[in-house]
Amino acid sequence: MSPEKLTMMANQIATFFKTQPGADGAERLAAHLNDFWEPRMRAQFFAHVDAGGVGLDPLVLEAAQFVRRPAEA
């Protein structure tokens, strides 16, 4: 999947969590990615984050620290 598509999807999820009460949006966004994004998608996500994360919402970048990084193949 392209970095642009992953960015769009992650930012859409961030938009939802920004509307929810509480200060744990980054943790909840990360939990969503951990639960619903397969390891291959999370690996692509981290490749984009590690390359600078251009276009990612600040909440997504904050959540990255809580996302499980898949094992290297």
Side-chain angles (χ1 to χ4, degrees):
M1 184 176 300
S2 73
E4 295 81 15
K5 177 75 171 173
L6 283 172
T7 296
M8 181 190 71
M9 292 170 62
N11 287 347
Q12 286 177 333
I13 296 165
T15 298
F16 169 77
F17 282 108
K18 286 179 179 182
T19 68
Q20 302 304 299
D24 61 346
E27 292 91 342
R28 292 171 48 192
L29 191 156
H32 180 88
L33 298 184
N34 287 328
D35 289 346
F36 297 105
W37 282 22
E38 64 179 23
R40 184 175 50 190
M41 286 177 71
R42 286 185 280 120
Q44 292 171 337
F45 169 74
F46 278 112
H48 184 57
V49 169
D50 293 344
V54 172
L56 287 171
D57 186 282
L59 185 61
V60 176
L61 293 172
E62 182 183 347
Q65 66 184 316
F66 303 108
V67 176
R68 288 190 305 269
R69 191 177 285 263
E72 299 289 329

